[in-house]
Amino acid sequence: RLEAAKHYVELRDDYADLPQKIKYYTEHPEEAELIISNFQNYYRTFLNEETELLVSLLVVDKYLTMTSQ
């Protein structure tokens, strides 16, 4: 699961804190790089087409099993 400050920078719904976040991560590039790296590692788990197909089929099977009468 994605986590704020680990995989992405969380912003307020109205983006009012965007300038402060940009300033903070500009001044702390090592933290920004860590967030980028964490997200890239997380994303790589979805690049295997066989695994993604299997997961999709298992989700459909589970749904059909749980909703059948």
Side-chain angles (χ1 to χ4, degrees):
R1 295 188 179 174
L2 291 174
E3 298 175 37
K6 180 176 179 182
H7 299 107
Y8 64 94
V9 175
E10 188 169 19
L11 299 172
R12 288 180 35 178
D13 290 341
D14 63 359
Y15 301 102
D17 58 344
L18 180 60
Q20 292 89 356
K21 299 286 182 158
I22 291 172
K23 183 178 187 303
Y24 178 83
Y25 286 105
T26 299
E27 293 172 355
H28 300 89
E30 65 287 342
E31 290 183 43
E33 291 290 334
L34 184 58
I35 291 171
I36 292 167
S37 178
N38 287 337
F39 177 76
Q40 289 173 336
N41 290 334
Y42 176 85
Y43 179 75
R44 280 189 196 101
T45 64
F46 299 96
L47 296 179
N48 184 310
E49 289 184 32
E50 281 186 31
T51 301
E52 287 302 299
L53 177 59
L54 180 58
V55 168
S56 298
L57 292 172
L58 289 170
V59 167
V60 169
D61 180 62
K62 183 75 169 185
Y63 173 78
L64 293 173
T65 301
M66 294 183 75
T67 60
S68 65
Q69 297 182 18

